């Protein structure tokens, strides 16, 4: 009977560990707004980066970009943020991933660049 308890305890512990993992998924990269015209501005935010751990590094990739944007600016809701001007960007969807100063990688998110005065993507 004891081996079953050990197996059950291990299974419960493993299950709890799996349930706790999504907490790590709360490390987020946020872009606002999600759609902007060429020449517009988007705010990139790494919501869980600790400003005391160093700069956040946002990697922006897309149709004509593969660049890094560094930030030391503390975001109003917490974390670090940077403004990105989309002048010279090609129309399309861009992916943003942030890495905190402590090496923590945030989730990826996307934003779309649309024509000036054009309808938002998907309209």
């Amino acid at each position: 009977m004891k081996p079953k308890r050990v197996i059950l305890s291990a299974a419960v512990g493993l299950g709890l560990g799996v349930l706790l993992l999504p907490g790590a998924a709360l490390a987020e990269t946020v872009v606002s707004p999600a759609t902007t015209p060429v020449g517009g501005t988007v705010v990139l935010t790494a919501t869980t980066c600790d400003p005391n751990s160093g700069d956040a590094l946002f990697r922006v990739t897309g149709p004509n970009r593969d660049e890094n944007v560094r930030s030391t600016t503390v975001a109003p809701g917490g974390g670090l943020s940077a403004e990105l001007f989309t002048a010279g960007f090609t129309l399309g969807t861009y992916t943003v991933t942030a890495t905190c100063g402590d090496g923590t990688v945030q989730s990826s998110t996307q934003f779309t660049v649309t024509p000036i005065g054009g309808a938002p993507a998907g309209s």
Side-chain angles (χ1 to χ4, degrees):
M1 195 61 99
K2 286 186 182 180
K4 287 184 182 178
R5 285 187 188 165
V6 171
I7 292 171
L8 178 61
S9 295
V12 169
L14 181 61
L16 287 175
V18 170
L19 289 175
L20 294 177
L21 283 177
L26 295 177
E28 286 190 69
T29 302
V30 177
V31 177
S32 180
T35 302
T36 188
V38 172
T41 303
V42 292
V43 177
L44 314 174
T45 305
T47 63
T48 61
C49 284
D50 179 2
N52 296 323
S53 295
D55 303 353
L57 186 66
F58 296 93
R59 176 128 187 213
V60 180
T61 57
N64 70 332
R65 297 285 163 188
D66 187 356
E67 66 180 275
N68 292 320
V69 178
R70 188 171 297 278
S71 173
T72 58
T73 304
V74 177
L80 292 166
S81 67
E83 288 187 348
L84 178 66
F85 300 101
T86 61
F89 277 53
T90 297
L91 303 181
T93 301
Y94 294 80
T95 300
V96 180
T97 305
T99 303
C100 300
D102 64 4
T104 304
V105 178
Q106 308 283 280
S107 64
S108 293
T109 192
Q110 296 182 324
F111 68 95
T112 303
V113 176
T114 61
I116 296 173
S123 296

